[in-house]
Amino acid sequence: MKYVDEFRDGVLAKNIAANIASEAHAGRSYRLMEFCGGHTHAISRYGIADLLPANVRMIHGPGCPVCVLPIGRIDQAIRLAREQGVILCTYADTMRVPASANLSLMRAKAQGADVRMIYSTQDALQVARDNPQREVVFLAIGFETTTPPTAVAVRQAAAEGLQNFSILCDHVLTPAAMHAILAGGVEIDGFVGPAHVSTVIGSKPYEPFADDYGKPVVIAGFEPLDVMQAILMLVRQVNDGRAEVENEFTRAVTREGNLKAQQLVAEVFELRDRFEWRGLGSVPHSALKLRPQFAAFDAEQKFMVEYVAVPDNKACECAAILRGQKRPQECKIFGTVCTPDNPVGSCMVSSEGACAAHYSYGRFRESA
Amino acid sequence: MSTVKPAYTRPLDFKHGRIDMSHGSGGRAMAQLITELFAAAFDNPYLAQGNDGALLPQAQGRLVMATDSHVVSPLFFAGGDIGCLSVHGTINDVAVMGATPLYLSASFILEEGFPLADLRRIVESMAQAARAAGVPIVTGDTKVVEQGKGDGVFITTTGVGVVPDGIHLSGDQTRPGDRILLSGTIGDHGMAILSQREGLTFSAPIVSDTAALHGLIAAMLDSGVQLRVLRDPTRGGLATTLNEIAGQSGVGMMLHETAIKVNQPVEAACEFLGLDPLYVANEGKLIAICAPEGADRLLAAMRAHPLGREAAIIGEVLADAHGFVQMTTRLGGRRVVDWLAGEQLPRIC
Ligand code: SF4
């Protein structure tokens, strides 16, 4: 993994930082949103805010899969595990997301629900193979990056005739969320576009944001230096009065994206009419469900667990944070009642969540 | 003339045999397991006393006692197994107190059906680790639980050692200006376990760093440098251990990311699984904090020992009412290095 270090080189970072500082006009501010939680994490983890001038501000976006799941979706998974006795397989991050009745998947597990932490969809399939007498449900969450592996798993389950396997599909779409953000009227001067997601969907889906909304988009790789370079490119676009989709991550992202992956996803999934997001509300055509021919693998249908909307904790500002309207430190219970060990909202759970990232990496700034 | 035949017990079948409930019953089967396996492997005069407890000679100095349970899964991993791990772990807990480890006890919880061949491998690995460290296992216990109620074998070891006069190491003694030293790379043990569990294969295998550190610690104490505290950053990794110390002493810390070494396959595996090596367990590394003037001498003493060859000064202690452990990143920014939230990696040791 030699290449990892090359892209984290401190000297290069200082050079880019110097360019940003000299090119950003002192008279104006630059409000840039990094859509993706991976970038939020990189910015916090590497202290990138320390390298930016005060008038270039990063606003954390909603691109964190567990952050945008509303409480009702976690409730659904918990109900499946507790009431239907299924083995519920989930990625680690989702385990601690607060749900209704003071529960989380982790707490449900402690109370006897069979919840298993897995690292890949293949693990979930294996659990199903190993437990033929039990129903196994995979809680499928995430943006366009995690969708293809879920599609593979569903196809594999169909091919193997794994009748005890199904998925609770909470896969969501990046461009739809960006539309919702802009429709919400947040002041944003440009977007740092996601890395992994864009390798799948390509840069084309971002073109309406530049053409119709006049917002520059620069797709950036996941390394901290990529993010810094993208910030510099955004500052330049703003200065020039340009609004284009630029690609900093040319080593992995093309305009068309990964057509094979897109095809695979299209074969297994179709658009939901609407999907409720935490923070963004009910957004049309913003999520996926299984196509009718894979209905046997759809846990929502198989077990008839309906989605019931549940309001967020009153004190929690996750919704405004996910819309880019507030910062974590503006939440009254940030760092007191709500901490990574006792998260009240979803943004405090995953290391990609804005609150957790600020708590874990950035809160020394307020102590100064 | 008596017609009673002399007692005969068929030796244990270490090839195909398995643990059954009788091995924990307190009867003959258990006695046989103890004699043919544990006593034979651990072989030392204290164990040979054959009593319920070991009678030990009088020791000079203050006593240190530490205990540690081991539930690692898988039981066998690159670089070690639950057996040697359980010996090293407890020796290290005693040694980081500045003590010379003297004796160990070992307690086994075995699951019905566990292969005797695996048990023998584990016990022999323990015996070898104890012998190599010069710390005998002087007493022990065995219990058997029904199938499905355990996971092969759990091992609890307890260690006793003595601290020479004049040495007092404790987490509450660090003060601003002190230097923080680390004996080598981080994350090796945790990622060895996890990559094996996840079936990840990398160009170079990840090998656990499990090792007994009392030799290295003796060399560090011999250097004459005034040590404030020693810790082995096991579960929760370097980050968690430093936060513990910062909390105990009421200080802050500033680490330097570029000084903290991570082996490349470990880094690759962490990237892949989205983990931060700062939070991944180590089983053969230690953190030392000392006054600034002794740091270079201590570093030299560490590097002169095989287990400290890659030692480095990784940061310093600061005055900070908030007790933040911070780090200057490779990029030149700053971040907090927080406590680990939740359980990232269950059953790592
Ligand atoms: S600090 Fe906690 S409660 Fe407040 S917005 Fe963030 S996640 Fe919600």
Side-chain angles (χ1 to χ4, degrees), chain A residues 46-113:
Chain A
Y46 291 96
I48 287 179
D50 294 331
L51 304 172
L52 299 177
N55 59 334
V56 177
R57 217 193 96 190
M58 301 310 294
I59 301 163
H60 306 316
C64 152
V66 306
C67 300
V68 297
L69 276 188
I71 292 175
R73 290 280 163 198
I74 304 291
D75 286 354
Q76 243 182 334
I78 292 176
R79 284 211 306 276
L80 271 177
R82 283 172 38 126
E83 291 161 22
Q84 314 259 6
V86 310
I87 301 177
L88 191 100
C89 295
T90 171
Y91 295 130
D93 269 0
T94 324
M95 296 279 289
R96 299 189 306 117
V97 179
S100 297
N102 209 8
L103 277 174
S104 62
L105 284 165
M106 181 113 101
R107 291 200 177 135
K109 176 174 156 79
Q111 293 177 9

Side-chain angles (χ1 to χ4, degrees), chain B residues 126-152:
Chain B
M126 281 181 89
Q128 201 191 338
R131 251 194 310 276
V135 187
I137 298 169
V138 297
T139 185
D141 183 47
T142 318
K143 297 272 155 51
V144 178
V145 294
E146 301 95 313
Q147 199 144 45
K149 298 281 166 67
D151 193 1

Side-chain angles (χ1 to χ4, degrees), chain A residues 98-309:
Chain A
S100 297
N102 209 8
L103 277 174
S104 62
L105 284 165
M106 181 113 101
R107 291 200 177 135
K109 176 174 156 79
Q111 293 177 9
D114 197 344
V115 178
R116 311 220 183 148
M117 201 171 95
I118 53 157
Y119 283 93
S120 76
T121 52
Q122 292 303 314
D123 295 348
L125 282 178
Q126 196 53 45
V127 173
R129 288 186 202 110
D130 293 345
N131 297 276
Q133 73 294 359
R134 301 274 309 273
E135 284 291 338
V136 176
V137 177
F138 170 57
L139 178 54
I141 70 159
F143 288 88
E144 290 87 340
T145 344
T146 46
T147 316
T150 305
V152 170
V154 170
R155 277 217 320 200
Q156 222 169 317
E160 288 178 32
L162 260 186
Q163 288 175 2
N164 63 331
F165 178 81
S166 58
I167 68 164
L168 192 56
C169 184
D170 290 333
H171 281 302
V172 289
L173 301 173
T174 300
M178 288 174 68
H179 275 290
I181 297 259
L182 288 171
V186 194
E187 255 181 76
I188 292 175
D189 297 307
F191 286 100
V192 175
H196 289 117
V197 163
S198 306
T199 59
V200 177
I201 67 173
S203 64
K204 201 168 131 195
Y206 304 106
E207 287 168 6
F209 305 110
D211 300 345
D212 305 345
Y213 290 94
K215 301 293 178 194
V217 179
V218 177
I219 294 162
F222 40 80
E223 294 297 331
L225 274 188
D226 291 322
V227 179
M228 294 206 53
Q229 183 62 33
I231 293 170
L232 177 59
M233 289 163 76
L234 283 170
V235 167
R236 285 178 179 163
Q237 282 205 43
V238 172
N239 287 349
D240 299 349
R242 285 182 289 133
E244 295 165 13
V245 177
E246 287 184 300
N247 187 359
E248 185 277 337
F249 198 31
T250 44
R251 61 183 193 274
V253 173
T254 61
R255 181 164 183 271
E256 303 299 334
N258 183 340
L259 293 173
K260 233 174 108 187
Q262 292 170 21
Q263 209 181 338
L264 177 69
V265 169
E267 185 190 315
V268 176
F269 296 102
E270 61 186 19
L271 280 180
R272 285 182 192 256
D273 290 338
R274 322 191 63 83
F275 188 83
E276 184 169 319
W277 295 56
R278 199 187 290 246
L280 305 181
S282 173
V283 183
H285 304 305
S286 63
L288 300 174
K289 63 176 180 197
L290 285 168
R291 285 193 179 278
Q293 64 264 42
F294 293 102
F297 299 97
D298 183 348
E300 267 181 284
Q301 295 186 39
K302 190 170 184 179
F303 302 100
M304 307 215 282
V305 274
E306 287 213 6
Y307 170 70
V308 182

Side-chain angles (χ1 to χ4, degrees), chain B residues 155-344:
Chain B
I155 305 177
T156 301
T157 50
T158 301
V160 175
V162 285
V163 192
D165 287 341
I167 291 175
H168 182 66
L169 305 180
S170 174
D172 59 7
Q173 297 195 62
T174 67
R175 48 198 89 152
D178 284 354
R179 295 293 188 266
I180 306 162
L181 289 82
L182 174 66
S183 68
T185 56
I186 56 167
D188 298 271
H189 176 73
M191 292 324 289
I193 300 291
L194 203 65
S195 59
Q196 190 157 333
R197 225 189 269 165
E198 293 307 311
L200 299 181
T201 42
F202 294 93
S203 49
I206 302 177
V207 179
S208 166
D209 58 348
T210 179
L213 293 166
H214 58 313
L216 171 62
I217 292 172
M220 292 165 70
L221 293 171
D222 283 348
S223 74
V225 174
Q226 189 69 44
L227 291 169
R228 310 267 200 235
V229 62
L230 292 174
R231 279 285 156 88
D232 54 336
T234 52
R235 253 177 315 171
L238 180 67
T240 305
T241 307
L242 289 176
N243 272 287
E244 279 167 15
I245 299 172
Q248 276 180 288
S249 291
V251 296
M253 294 180 183
M254 182 62 79
L255 310 179
H256 307 294
E257 187 168 25
T258 45
I260 300 170
K261 297 188 187 98
V262 184
N263 276 323
Q264 277 195 359
V266 171
E267 176 144 357
C270 281
E271 287 271 326
F272 186 79
L273 294 172
L275 300 172
D276 188 335
L278 288 170
Y279 295 90
V280 179
N282 310 280
E283 289 292 344
K285 296 293 154 40
L286 61 81
I287 296 165
I289 299 183
C290 69
E293 55 278 8
D296 289 333
R297 206 147 39 96
L298 185 62
L299 182 65
M302 290 169 79
R303 287 191 173 160
H305 190 277
L307 290 176
R309 256 196 309 260
E310 291 188 90
I313 300 175
I314 60 161
E316 53 276 333
V317 177
L318 308 175
D320 178 356
H322 300 275
F324 284 137
V325 176
Q326 299 185 47
M327 181 159 93
T328 56
T329 71
R330 277 185 261 195
L331 245 61
R334 271 206 293 166
R335 61 172 272 207
V336 172
V337 175
D338 204 8
W339 291 86
L340 174 66
E343 174 69 285
Q344 197 177 15

Side-chain angles (χ1 to χ4, degrees), chain B residues 68-185:
Chain B
D68 210 345
S69 296
H70 296 84
V71 298
V72 65
S73 161
L75 297 170
F76 301 94
F77 47 84
D81 54 65
I82 189 172
C84 64
L85 184 69
S86 69
V87 168
H88 296 153
T90 296
I91 287 180
N92 293 347
D93 284 349
V94 171
V96 291
M97 297 294 296
T100 311
L102 296 178
Y103 312 106
L104 291 172
S105 77
S107 177
F108 294 78
I109 296 176
L110 305 170
E111 187 187 8
E112 180 188 13
F114 189 63
L116 283 174
D118 285 353
L119 183 60
R120 180 156 78 168
R121 232 176 112 191
I122 290 166
V123 168
E124 281 174 354
S125 160
M126 281 181 89
Q128 201 191 338
R131 251 194 310 276
V135 187
I137 298 169
V138 297
T139 185
D141 183 47
T142 318
K143 297 272 155 51
V144 178
V145 294
E146 301 95 313
Q147 199 144 45
K149 298 281 166 67
D151 193 1
V153 52
F154 299 145
I155 305 177
T156 301
T157 50
T158 301
V160 175
V162 285
V163 192
D165 287 341
I167 291 175
H168 182 66
L169 305 180
S170 174
D172 59 7
Q173 297 195 62
T174 67
R175 48 198 89 152
D178 284 354
R179 295 293 188 266
I180 306 162
L181 289 82
L182 174 66
S183 68
T185 56

